Amino acid sequence: MLQAELTIPAHYDMMKNNTVDPLDFVHYLMQEDTSVCWKIPALGERVIYRK
């Protein structure tokens, strides 16, 4: 729906009650549209997006 060029799950594991695995989100995305680009950065990893 968003037609985003890149999707990056954020804020997981930052709060006590936020225990959802970001891969669940990625699996959902892939079921909806296999052309979706995604990135799950490692803790502290810098992500620079260039179009």
Side-chain angles (χ1 to χ4, degrees):
M1 277 196 248
L2 294 176
Q3 299 177 353
E5 293 183 22
L6 176 64
T7 302
I8 302 174
H11 302 289
Y12 56 91
D13 278 346
M14 290 184 71
M15 294 162 247
K16 183 178 179 179
N17 294 327
N18 189 359
T19 59
V20 176
D21 186 339
L23 286 175
D24 291 345
F25 177 69
V26 170
H27 290 146
Y28 172 78
L29 287 176
M30 298 306 292
Q31 287 176 359
E32 295 297 312
D33 183 355
T34 57
S35 69
V36 171
C37 293
W38 55 272
K39 168 82 173 156
I40 300 177
L43 181 61
E45 178 183 356
R46 177 185 284 183
V47 177
I48 299 172
Y49 174 77
R50 292 190 178 109
K51 192 170 186 177

